[in-house]
Amino acid sequence: MSQIVLPLSLSTITKMKQFYQASLAEKLPPGAVFVAKTPHCTITAYHSGKVLFQGPGCNAEADKWSSEATLLKPVKAKTSLPKQTPGTHLPANFSQLSVVGSDEVGTGDFFGPITVVAAYVRNQDLALLKELGVKDSKGLKDEQICEIAKQIKEIIPFSLLTLHNEKYNALQQSGMSQGKLKALLHNQAIGHVLKKIEPEKPDAILIDEFAKEAVYYQYLKGQKNIQRERVYFSTKAEGVHLAVAAASILARYAFVQQFEKLSKLAGFTIPKGAGAKVDEACARLIRAKGKDVLPQFVKLHFANTEKAMKLVKR
Ligand code: MN
């Protein structure tokens, strides 16, 4: 249920009791000054100065009084999930540490593989990477990403794993979820990088969060070599440490290269994403090469497969 708590002065609470006179309830919970029930909101004022607004109309009702709140902003009740700013739960000065970051590309694309990269960026390499243009790849075009990737792949230790669609489809059909696949790939890529940089150890490992930590380790249950030491998760991790930004750029680069290969195989440029364009392209591919080639090109369980089949039958 939606609810809002406002800290209000006792004089405001007295005013409110007057205001809600016609809707006052008789039964009061312990510590309450009054309870009022309007059609869309229940208001409970406490001697502590907290006033609780509950129900679908709680925002509108609380708005009437929020200007009198003793704090500048209405305090939301703890039952609503706090919005965590990416990275705030990490060790202090995290962006300056030597970190292994990992990220993946291609999970939402109908055509093309999933690429996962774990990359190690030392504190002393941060300035250089920034100089080379490494940043959140969402603000970068594919051409820029490829240019940056070509340079940084010579500089930083990384591990790239490419899960081609033939194998992806087989694993998916055997009942493995995409989440589990991703967890396996991230864990493996991180393990590879840690091996590469031995005996050096990173200050931390940061995974761009695609699943909550507990779920991630659930996926990895029964695996050998599960990386747990100093492993952190953050949403939007590309903006939290350059190691994840670099991993993302390298993964995107590998993905784009695979796309070019697939386009050559198909005989035309295949589109990214999972929109109507890919349905058309898949139909074209089926007409040209037959549907038996699909497992090599696409993630079969996407709804796009059916849509493309329908286009072909038309
Ligand atoms: Mn990601």
Side-chain angles (χ1 to χ4, degrees):
M1 184 168 56
S2 44
Q3 57 179 45
I4 290 175
V5 177
L6 288 183
L8 294 166
S9 69
L10 276 176
S11 72
T12 304
I13 288 173
T14 311
K15 226 189 323 182
M16 289 173 80
K17 192 175 176 183
Q18 197 74 24
F19 180 85
Y20 291 113
Q21 228 184 86
S23 343
L24 293 177
E26 276 180 24
K27 272 198 175 172
L28 297 183
V33 181
F34 73 83
V35 174
K37 290 190 176 174
T38 72
H40 301 294
C41 182
T42 299
I43 304 114
T44 310
Y46 293 93
H47 286 290
S48 66
K50 291 217 165 74
V51 180
L52 176 64
F53 299 83
Q54 289 170 299
C58 69
N59 280 305
E61 213 56 49
D63 274 352
K64 292 180 186 166
W65 306 100
S66 58
S67 66
E68 304 199 28
T70 47
L71 291 174
L72 284 175
K73 280 183 189 165
V75 178
K76 276 207 176 156
K78 279 191 184 130
T79 47
S80 63
L81 280 174
K83 267 189 204 149
Q84 198 170 39
T85 314
T88 47
H89 58 297
L90 301 171
N93 212 21
F94 193 88
S95 67
Q96 299 307 305
L97 300 179
S98 297
V99 168
V100 169
S102 73
D103 200 6
E104 84 283 333
V105 170
T107 54
D109 294 272
F110 181 49
F111 282 100
I114 292 176
T115 55
V116 174
V117 168
Y120 182 43
V121 174
R122 296 174 181 92
N123 161 276
Q124 59 264 40
D125 296 333
L126 287 167
L128 174 61
L129 289 198
K130 221 175 250 175
E131 192 69 32
L132 293 174
V134 176
K135 59 177 172 186
D136 192 336
S137 67
K138 288 186 185 76
L140 296 170
K141 292 201 182 91
D142 276 352
E143 297 79 50
Q144 294 173 295
I145 287 174
C146 293
E147 277 315 303
I148 298 168
K150 277 177 202 161
Q151 296 190 282
I152 62 174
K153 74 185 177 61
E154 308 300 333
I155 300 171
I156 57 172
F158 71 96
S159 162
L160 160 70
L161 296 176
T162 304
L163 180 59
H164 294 285
N165 277 330
E166 227 140 36
K167 191 161 178 199
Y168 174 89
N169 288 318
L171 289 168
Q172 199 275 328
Q173 280 160 9
S174 79
M176 200 179 278
S177 69
Q178 207 192 61
K180 178 161 181 168
L181 279 171
K182 281 195 263 188
L184 294 173
L185 292 166
H186 276 262
N187 182 63
Q188 203 181 355
I190 291 165
H192 287 169
V193 172
L194 292 177
K195 254 252 119 69
K196 267 190 193 177
I197 64 174
E198 261 173 7
E200 192 175 333
K201 279 195 172 190
D203 297 325
I205 296 164
L206 181 62
I207 299 174
D208 189 37
E209 185 178 304
F210 57 89
K212 289 278 170 222
E213 186 172 350
V215 177
Y216 176 84
Y217 287 114
Q218 192 69 37
Y219 286 144
L220 292 181
K221 250 191 185 159
Q223 298 296 314
K224 284 180 210 154
N225 301 320
I226 301 173
Q227 309 303 331
R228 287 177 184 273
E229 213 183 318
R230 283 174 277 186
V231 172
Y232 297 90
F233 297 79
S234 175
T235 55
K236 301 195 173 123
E238 287 180 63
V240 174
H241 195 284
L242 281 189
V244 180
S248 176
I249 286 170
L250 290 166
R252 184 89 202 163
Y253 175 57
F255 181 75
V256 169
Q257 283 183 314
Q258 291 299 328
F259 244 78
E260 282 166 10
K261 271 190 200 166
L262 286 178
S263 292
K264 255 187 206 146
L265 271 177
F268 60 93
T269 305
I270 52 179
K272 302 192 178 81
K277 264 191 194 166
V278 309
D279 303 339
E280 293 287 348
C282 183
R284 184 173 168 189
L285 182 65
I286 297 169
R287 284 189 205 107
K289 311 251 176 198
K291 66 177 166 54
D292 291 347
V293 303
L294 286 189
Q296 198 186 338
F297 283 86
V298 304
K299 300 181 182 77
L300 287 173
H301 66 110
F302 279 34
N304 305 89
T305 306
E306 277 302 308
K307 290 181 192 163
M309 292 293 206
K310 273 185 194 152
L311 287 176
V312 172
K313 279 177 198 147
R314 232 185 240 171

